[in-house]
Amino acid sequence: MGNTIIQFENVSKSYDDGTVVLKNINFELEKGKFYTLLGPSGCGKTTILRIIAGFTAPSSGNVYFNGKKINNVPAHQRQVNTVFQDYALFPHLNVFENVAFGLRIKKMKEKEIQERVREALKFVNLEGFENREISEMSGGQRQRVAIARAIVNNPEVILLDEPLSALDLKLRYEMQYELRELQQRLGKTFVFVTHDQEEALAMSDEIFVINDGQIQQSGSPVDIYDEPINRFVADFIGESNIVEGIMLEDYKVQFAGKVFDCVDKGMKPNEKVDVVIRPEDLEITSVDKGKLVVTVDTQLFRGVHYELSTYDKDGNEWLVHSLKKAEVGEEIGLYFEPEAIHVMRLNETEEEFDKRLESYGVSENA
Amino acid sequence: MRDRVAKGPLIPYLLWIVFFVIAPIALIIYYSMLDLQGNFTLENYKRFFSPVYLKMAFTSFFYAILITFFTLLISYPTAYFLTKTKHKHLWLMFIIIPSWINLLLKTYAFIGIFGLYGPINAFISVFGIEPKQILFTDFSFLFVSVYIFIPFMIMPIFNSIDKLNPSLVDAARDLGASPFTTFRRVIWPLTIEGVKSGIQVTFIPALSLFMITRLIAGNQVITLGTAIEQQFLVAQNWGMGSTIAVFLVLIMFASMIFTAKRTKGGRV
């Protein structure tokens, strides 16, 4: 508990016109970790960030920072700094002065300002750019200036609002590595907002998947990828095949007209469930060896693998990622291990979900 | 070939500039060097540097600065709060509509309002205060001038504040700036161009005001504008009138240069 830096307690946010953005959000963030708020646009993730930064006040509930309630602390008195989506660099100031902005406000001595700005710029590999105008910097460089401007103040928490979304693909990949490395070198708490699940999986210690103003699931990237709590999470994170099924009894699930062995238990007999199988867990085999028999509809070459869209006799679509090629129109068998089947109860809360997983005896944080 | 095609459409504009910009200024300069008999002389210029005219120039300058200052003082906060309202463009229109009404008409309206038997004097007499001479004072002159210029000042300022990226304000707050510091170090420097345009469209016309000066200030305030009117219409001394006009043009140029865009610097 002593490690908690930010805590949300029953935080809700709605606007005057009645739109509800956040519904009863609860979470705790620990010092020195990389957190990601992941969700589609309009899900409320940016609102959470703005509440932490102090730009927006929650309609109800409390926000704690280092154990102190900060609901009424104005933005300029909080020990957090933000990297904005559009970077929000001051166009009338050059690179040095942008980074020095926060230090000048603190009335720091000129010599110390020089030192710290130089150090921050070195941190983001922008030495020698001090006197450039912002308009002379490329997108990736502006991004770094924005990060330098945030870290130079030595805040406890750095908030990043979709900072990579304006960059091109290659630069985005590079910045993912850099951000993760930067966070580990600084040892600060990062709260990163994104709608890009790949970014979230690659960088985070812990991900909060948010939809419709609620936290759907939180956990390590591996947990969330392997054990999504519901259809939304399974669909949003990675690619998945989701079909409806019936849990006949423990370790027996029926879908696509057949009964399969699985590793899930603890549901009511004959309970309706959603079944997820990731495309990379499906293996192409001959029709007689296959657990499912499907017809190949389309095939795309994705570089590392082929992506096959196939249909079974019931009309369910099965996406397959395979190193092997198939022929369009061909009938093939699909094989998968019992562990590949992930069963999701409908409308299960995160608490119930965690409890059920624990009862399997597998360590969740493996 | 392409060059010729591009030049063709420019001809009407070139003619316009020659006949309506260059020619009038040349004529003014020409007339400024003529005496009452039409002889060439520099006497008018010498006379301009006499105490009478210098004082007039100073008065014009002084009032124009006052008018601009008060107009800015009212317009900036107004424009700022306008951008924060929900139907900002509607409100802006309400403020601009009065500028569509004829200037003379508005000026006459103020003669009625400020008059000895006007509503203001009627109002203060309710509290037992004797009717006062409001018209023909410095105050009424400034008041009416500021009123006239406010819409012209608000428009460019409104546009520059409206264009300001709101996340810059968030960023300043995020970096520890109080609301006042945010204004001083981010909002003001980034909207200064709008303020400069506002000053240009207020200060320059305010220098050469003569109708409001005549009708509202009476003979209490004598500016270069009224002096030009005197010289042309009363004294029939076109030479002296033109000389004053030449100096007005020079002052305007100077103020244009003064408020022109400057190259970006490092610190503020």
Side-chain angles (χ1 to χ4, degrees):
Chain A
M1 272 306 274
N3 229 358
T4 303
I5 182 124
I6 290 173
Q7 189 190 351
F8 269 45
E9 192 182 78
N10 304 326
V11 171
S12 296
K13 175 74 189 173
S14 52
Y15 288 108
D16 294 340
D17 57 0
T19 45
V20 180
V21 200
L22 296 178
K23 301 168 195 161
N24 202 26
I25 300 276
N26 286 288
F27 63 73
E28 280 177 19
L29 304 183
E30 282 174 25
K31 271 181 199 158
K33 281 198 174 176
F34 197 120
Y35 291 96
T36 299
L37 306 177
L38 175 66
S41 49
C43 73
K45 57 190 191 298
T46 298
T47 308
I48 294 178
L49 208 68
R50 292 180 66 84
I51 288 175
I52 299 175
F55 303 137
T56 308
S59 306
S60 65
N62 292 322
V63 181
Y64 296 93
F65 189 92
N66 262 339
K68 270 184 225 129
K69 192 174 148 183
I70 54 161
N71 286 30
N72 298 317
V73 177
H76 65 280
Q77 287 165 9
R78 295 192 184 189
Q79 288 172 0
V80 296
N81 284 115
T82 308
V83 177
F84 291 85
Q85 186 170 12
D86 57 0
Y87 316 141
L89 298 173
F90 303 119
H92 59 301
L93 302 175
N94 64 17
V95 170
F96 183 93
E97 288 303 327
N98 261 283
V99 178
F101 191 90
L103 305 179
R104 291 213 189 281
I105 281 166
K106 289 193 197 102
K107 304 255 188 287
M108 208 169 265
K109 286 202 189 81
E110 184 64 30
K111 203 180 151 216
E112 203 184 342
I113 292 178
Q114 296 275 349
E115 225 164 75
R116 285 179 66 168
V117 171
R118 201 144 296 148
E119 196 186 341
L121 286 173
K122 200 172 151 192
F123 233 91
V124 295
N125 293 323
L126 279 181
E127 286 165 291
F129 286 83
E130 285 86 354
N131 295 319
R132 293 276 187 101
E133 294 298 333
I134 298 305
S135 54
E136 295 166 350
M137 306 289 274
S138 71
Q141 288 171 333
R142 287 180 199 194
Q143 170 73 76
R144 286 160 209 258
V145 177
I147 292 169
R149 189 177 66 174
I151 63 175
V152 79
N153 301 294
N154 203 20
E156 298 260 9
V157 177
I158 293 175
L159 309 174
L160 303 107
D161 185 7
E162 306 216 18
L164 307 183
S165 60
L167 304 177
D168 61 60
L169 191 66
K170 201 152 180 281
L171 202 55
R172 198 151 62 201
Y173 276 132
E174 278 173 36
M175 287 305 290
Q176 287 176 13
Y177 281 105
E178 282 189 29
L179 271 181
R180 179 64 180 157
E181 202 205 44
L182 186 74
Q183 187 267 335
Q184 280 165 347
R185 269 194 291 162
L186 289 170
K188 301 281 179 193
T189 313
F190 274 40
V191 184
F192 184 89
V193 159
T194 184
H195 61 262
D196 184 333
Q197 41 107 2
E198 265 181 59
E199 265 173 33
L201 292 173
M203 296 195 288
S204 321
D205 288 314
E206 195 167 341
I207 298 176
F208 293 89
V209 184
I210 297 164
N211 188 36
D212 205 13
Q214 283 170 312
I215 296 178
Q216 302 285 325
Q217 188 175 9
S218 59
S220 72
V222 176
D223 286 347
I224 287 185
Y225 189 84
D226 286 347
E227 305 286 349
I229 186 172
N230 56 27
R231 193 175 263 263
F232 172 82
V233 176
D235 200 31
F236 197 76
I237 311 267
E239 291 192 79
S240 16
N241 297 297
I242 309 174
V243 292
E244 285 170 11
I246 294 167
M247 199 72 191
L248 299 173
E249 54 185 276
D250 284 357
Y251 309 122
K252 286 260 185 276
V253 62
Q254 178 191 327
F255 60 90
K258 287 184 188 168
V259 180
F260 299 94
D261 290 331
C262 66
V263 294
D264 298 87
K265 63 165 184 156
M267 287 81 152
K268 285 176 269 174
N270 297 323
E271 183 179 326
K272 276 194 171 180
V273 289
D274 280 332
V275 175
V276 179
I277 303 178
R278 296 285 185 190
E280 65 270 23
D281 291 336
L282 292 170
E283 213 176 297
I284 297 178
T285 179
S286 57
V287 174
D288 50 314
K289 283 185 191 159
K291 287 189 175 180
L292 285 167
V293 175
V294 293
T295 311
V296 180
D297 186 46
T298 55
Q299 175 172 269
L300 297 177
F301 179 57
R302 289 286 191 193
V304 200
H305 60 254
Y306 289 95
E307 184 178 285
L308 281 71
S309 167
T310 67
Y311 287 90
D312 64 19
K313 281 196 294 292
D314 298 336
N316 297 315
E317 189 190 3
W318 296 94
L319 210 59
V320 183
H321 288 175
S322 167
L323 297 176
K324 278 186 268 178
K325 226 173 124 173
E327 293 297 321
V328 173
E330 186 189 7
E331 210 167 56
I332 54 169
L334 294 178
Y335 177 79
F336 48 85
E337 301 289 338
E339 290 79 24
I341 299 176
H342 173 64
V343 177
M344 303 182 299
R345 300 181 80 177
L346 306 178
N347 300 320
E348 191 174 33
T349 66
E350 209 183 344
E351 215 172 311
E352 293 163 352
F353 175 77
D354 288 343
K355 213 173 263 174
R356 181 162 62 85
L357 281 193
E358 267 165 38
S359 72
Y360 298 175
V362 282
S363 150
E364 219 200 309
N365 299 320
Chain B
M1 272 304 271
R2 209 189 288 159
D3 281 354
R4 229 190 253 168
V5 176
K7 270 177 191 163
L10 278 179
I11 287 170
Y13 302 103
L14 285 173
L15 288 177
W16 175 278
I17 290 172
V18 168
F19 283 110
F20 295 106
V21 180
I22 297 173
I25 292 178
L27 275 176
I28 286 175
I29 294 172
Y30 171 72
Y31 274 109
S32 71
M33 294 183 198
L34 298 180
D35 65 12
L36 274 170
Q37 282 72 45
N39 301 317
F40 178 80
T41 175
L42 287 175
E43 190 60 27
N44 293 328
Y45 284 86
K46 225 171 109 190
R47 258 178 78 196
F48 186 83
F49 287 102
S50 67
V52 183
Y53 285 100
L54 281 182
K55 186 168 175 269
M56 245 181 251
F58 175 78
T59 316
S60 293
F61 220 76
F62 177 69
Y63 278 103
I65 286 173
L66 275 185
I67 291 167
T68 310
F69 175 74
F70 284 115
T71 310
L72 180 63
L73 202 68
I74 295 168
S75 300
Y76 198 98
T78 312
Y80 186 82
F81 290 117
L82 271 183
T83 58
K84 303 281 172 261
T85 56
K86 218 171 181 184
H87 306 287
K88 51 189 176 189
H89 289 285
L90 183 75
W91 289 111
L92 180 68
M93 207 175 74
F94 281 138
I95 286 179
I96 289 180
I97 283 175
S99 69
W100 300 350
I101 298 168
N102 183 287
L103 179 63
L104 192 62
L105 210 63
K106 282 188 285 190
T107 312
Y108 270 108
F110 272 108
I111 294 179
I113 292 168
F114 283 151
L116 265 183
Y117 305 102
I120 292 191
N121 270 320
F123 180 72
I124 61 171
S125 68
V126 173
F127 301 100
I129 302 169
E130 285 287 297
K132 279 195 162 74
Q133 183 63 265
I134 306 172
L135 216 53
F136 312 129
T137 59
D138 288 1
F139 165 79
S140 59
F141 172 57
L142 281 178
F143 187 94
V144 176
S145 306
V146 168
Y147 166 80
I148 299 284
F149 285 120
I150 279 174
F152 299 102
M153 181 74 98
I154 283 183
M155 266 193 289
I157 297 178
F158 175 90
N159 284 333
S160 66
I161 298 177
D162 203 34
K163 257 194 334 207
L164 183 76
N165 179 356
S167 67
L168 292 178
V169 177
D170 282 347
R173 301 296 309 277
D174 188 73
L175 293 164
S178 64
F180 175 74
T181 312
T182 304
F183 176 78
R184 192 172 63 85
R185 304 195 58 163
V186 175
I187 301 174
W188 177 258
L190 287 175
T191 52
I192 192 80
E193 290 310 322
V195 173
K196 282 179 180 175
S197 321
I199 288 176
Q200 279 182 10
V201 297
T202 307
F203 183 75
I204 291 170
L207 260 183
S208 55
L209 277 180
F210 74 93
M211 194 169 64
I212 301 174
T213 325
R214 270 269 174 274
L215 294 175
I216 303 288
N219 290 327
Q220 294 293 309
V221 180
I222 295 164
T223 60
L224 290 178
T226 48
I228 294 174
E229 189 213 8
Q230 280 285 312
Q231 294 294 344
F232 274 92
L233 301 180
V234 182
Q236 299 279 324
N237 186 349
W238 286 33
M240 194 59 221
S242 300
T243 306
I244 302 170
V246 167
F247 277 100
L248 259 183
V249 170
L250 288 178
I251 296 172
M252 287 171 190
F253 262 119
S255 66
M256 288 277 275
I257 291 164
F258 189 70
T259 51
K261 249 191 180 170
R262 272 180 225 155
T263 46
K264 281 187 217 164
R267 284 197 65 176
V268 268

